[in-house]
Amino acid sequence: MAKRDPKSTRPEKERAFLVGIYIRSEPQLLSLEDSLAELRLLADTAGLVVVGETTQTLEKPHPDTFIGSGKVEEIIALAEETMSNLIIFDAELSPRHQRELEERFQNRVRVIDRTALILDIFAQHASTREGILQVELAQYEYRLPRLTRAWTHLARQAGGASGRSGSAGGVGLRGPGETQLEVDRREIRNKISHLKSELEKVRSHRSRYRAQRKRSQIPIVALVGYTNAGKSTLLNHLSHSNVYVADQLFATLDPTTRRVQLPDNHWVLFTDTVGFIQKLPTQLIAAFRATLEEITEADLLVHMVDITHPNALAQWKAVQNTLVDINADHIPAITAMNKIDLLPHPEMAGEIIANTPLSVAISAKKGSGIGDLLSLVEKQLYETQIPLHIRLPYQEGNLISLIHEQGRVISLDHERNGVVIVGSVPGRLFTQFQPYFIHPDTATEDE
């Protein structure tokens, strides 16, 4: 807990010391210095005061302390010198590494990793019941393997929806020979089970809502991008709404959907989604499954890139990697190079998009290039035909009719398990057919 200044009602900010790590044997999107700079921004977003930092390059993590005994002693001395009460590692520490480090620090300072820091930021920014549930699940799944004897009475530490509702239960009674640690582990497992049950209800509700939107035949465009790329600013401009915007990482967590009219009077639904980041914790991807399905069910992605950021390419790659992780990389996408109003030489944007397929330069804040963006969205949804090679089950008669009505059929063959169709459909319909694509290794299974 942060100490309070007797002359102030605000808690004193924790003093954080950062440890940057570069592992030569592991692929890195950002340089050591750039990744540490991003960690500094994360710490600031979490409300911490960064009082010092150090770095180390390793061939591979040390089996006991991740960074080796000599570096541990150096950090102990630096932490005392800077009066730090929190050490943050720019990597995900295994439960064993975290326990070993805490023992070396003799519990004089807390030790957390990048994942814990991001989870804390999400916890601070979650405002809806769904967001709170998702963050709480991610936190408990992260904590469970890291539970130690020093961490007990979890009910007093639990927050969020399940903690308030009491559905997950209080501290359980110990059974014969059961330690407090075992009781705490059992309680966390109960809470995780309860949270997953609650989130499954949310997921079912979202699924029904998406099915209604699909029946309305209004295409869905998902805004994706690195955190702080300007997605919420763009949605506000397009829909004349007031989605919360702040110049900080992970300012908004909950998806927001707004209707937007395209140049030729077609209506589409734009959905603002949670921002991505390099080394996005796997716990968050799992916990935010219901939210991330807003991306996987979209008809088109608009990948927003902060063109002014020195690591714009690395951020673009981080988003692409995450889209692969959540199985959304098959969805047609266009790229919006944002913040051109901040470029010292605006013509730089033209040079970049000239070498980037399906891209447009915009300023979501000033409104520059928005017309070009909407025209490109309309072209991809309504004019561009995407080739198909699919096997549709006979019971999917509505999709067979849809490809005849809205697309183009080159060949159609009736087989035992369905109809094999080669043809094309407008971009807005592509995702409806994606589950039935024939892969090369299965193309001849009925032939």
Side-chain angles (χ1 to χ4, degrees):
M1 295 290 289
K3 297 180 180 178
R4 289 185 179 272
D5 182 341
K7 296 181 181 179
S8 172
T9 58
R10 293 184 177 182
E12 184 180 315
K13 289 187 176 181
E14 286 189 279
R15 299 169 62 85
F17 190 92
L18 310 184
V19 182
I21 305 293
Y22 191 89
I23 309 295
R24 290 196 181 96
S25 60
E26 298 177 1
Q28 308 286 333
L29 280 176
L30 298 180
S31 68
L32 176 59
E33 294 75 16
D34 289 339
S35 187
L36 189 60
E38 187 173 87
L39 186 68
R40 203 179 301 122
L41 282 175
L42 288 168
D44 181 68
T45 301
L48 305 171
V49 176
V50 176
V51 295
E53 57 189 47
T54 187
T55 62
Q56 186 175 44
T57 299
L58 301 167
E59 290 298 330
K60 59 182 180 179
H62 189 279
D64 292 326
T65 55
F66 196 87
I67 53 175
S69 299
K71 195 65 174 180
V72 170
E73 295 302 320
E74 178 188 327
I75 294 173
I76 290 174
L78 289 170
E80 291 179 352
E81 179 183 326
T82 56
M83 294 185 291
S84 305
N85 47 23
L86 181 65
I87 307 294
I88 307 176
F89 281 76
D90 190 26
E92 182 166 349
L93 299 174
S94 70
R96 177 185 177 182
H97 284 139
Q98 190 156 355
R99 285 193 296 269
E100 288 286 342
L101 286 166
E102 287 171 348
E103 288 182 9
R104 298 295 178 94
F105 283 106
Q106 299 178 346
N107 295 319
R108 286 176 290 186
V109 294
R110 287 196 301 128
V111 177
I112 66 171
D113 58 13
R114 181 188 180 92
T115 297
L117 180 61
I118 293 175
L119 290 175
D120 181 68
I121 293 170
F122 271 54
Q124 291 182 39
H125 290 181
S127 56
T128 65
R129 178 175 179 271
E130 178 184 359
I132 291 169
L133 285 169
Q134 290 175 131
V135 173
E136 194 175 354
L137 173 61
Q139 286 180 319
Y140 276 126
E141 290 189 324
Y142 173 80
R143 291 172 182 170
L144 181 59
R146 291 166 172 80
L147 204 60
T148 65
R149 292 178 180 83
W151 188 0
T152 58
H153 308 299
L154 289 159
R156 287 200 290 270
Q157 298 182 31
S162 70
R164 287 194 297 272
S165 68
S167 301
V171 174
L173 296 175
R174 297 190 202 183
E178 195 174 27
T179 67
Q180 182 63 52
L181 182 59
E182 290 167 337
V183 172
D184 289 343
R185 283 176 176 155
R186 176 160 49 84
E187 185 181 358
I188 282 190
R189 291 190 184 98
N190 289 339
K191 286 183 179 293
I192 288 174
S193 176
H194 169 71
L195 289 166
K196 285 183 175 179
S197 175
E198 291 298 303
L199 281 170
E200 193 57 37
K201 296 176 185 176
V202 172
R203 184 169 179 254
S204 298
H205 175 76
R206 277 196 178 280
S207 180
R208 290 193 297 271
Y209 181 58
R210 279 194 296 268
Q212 291 175 356
R213 292 190 306 197
K214 287 288 186 184
R215 285 195 295 271
S216 72
Q217 294 297 311
I218 300 180
I220 300 168
V221 179
L223 301 176
V224 299
Y226 212 76
T227 179
N228 208 27
K231 299 184 301 300
S232 298
T233 301
L234 177 61
L235 186 63
N236 283 340
H237 187 94
L238 293 175
S239 60
H240 309 290
S241 56
N242 58 348
V243 177
Y244 178 70
V245 174
D247 186 17
Q248 60 179 203
L249 307 183
F250 303 115
T252 54
L253 298 183
D254 298 296
T256 304
T257 301
R258 296 286 186 269
R259 284 186 51 167
V260 175
Q261 192 171 23
L262 298 178
D264 284 347
N265 297 321
H266 292 113
W267 287 94
V268 297
L269 296 174
F270 271 81
T271 297
D272 180 20
T273 60
V274 62
F276 298 157
I277 197 169
Q278 64 144 350
K279 307 175 188 175
L280 189 67
T282 53
Q283 292 89 349
L284 280 177
I285 293 177
F288 275 68
R289 182 176 58 152
T291 297
L292 293 173
E293 282 177 353
E294 292 293 317
I295 298 173
T296 62
E297 295 291 331
D299 299 296
L300 179 70
L301 304 181
V302 173
H303 181 170
M304 298 207 42
V305 178
D306 178 358
I307 198 173
T308 67
H309 199 284
N311 294 310
L313 180 59
Q315 292 185 351
W316 181 87
K317 289 180 179 177
V319 173
Q320 293 300 119
N321 291 342
T322 305
L323 291 175
V324 171
D325 291 340
I326 65 175
N327 298 316
D329 54 313
H330 66 277
I331 301 174
I334 62 179
T335 304
M337 305 290 188
N338 190 29
K339 305 186 183 181
I340 60 171
D341 55 304
L342 300 180
L343 288 175
H345 305 289
E347 62 273 12
M348 295 169 58
E351 296 173 3
I352 294 173
I353 64 172
N355 297 310
T356 308
L358 297 176
S359 65
V360 61
I362 69 167
S363 168
K365 186 175 182 180
K366 301 292 185 180
S368 306
I370 300 301
D372 293 337
L373 172 64
L374 292 179
S375 294
L376 186 56
V377 167
E378 190 157 50
K379 181 179 180 181
Q380 289 305 112
L381 289 175
Y382 289 92
E383 299 174 24
T384 300
Q385 292 279 325
I386 298 180
L388 301 177
H389 184 194
I390 55 176
R391 178 181 285 104
L392 287 173
Y394 286 112
Q395 58 265 34
E396 294 291 350
N398 58 325
L399 290 181
I400 297 174
S401 299
L402 186 61
I403 191 172
H404 279 286
E405 295 168 3
Q406 302 285 336
R408 186 166 67 99
V409 176
I410 297 174
S411 67
L412 185 150
D413 295 305
H414 291 274
E415 296 182 350
R416 185 181 63 218
N417 296 328
V419 180
V420 174
I421 299 177
V422 176
S424 62
V425 292
R428 71 183 188 280
L429 304 176
F430 173 78
T431 55
Q432 296 186 51
F433 294 93
Q434 198 275 334
Y436 305 104
F437 266 63
I438 296 176
H439 298 287
D441 56 342
T442 62
T444 60
E445 64 181 22
D446 287 328
E447 297 173 4

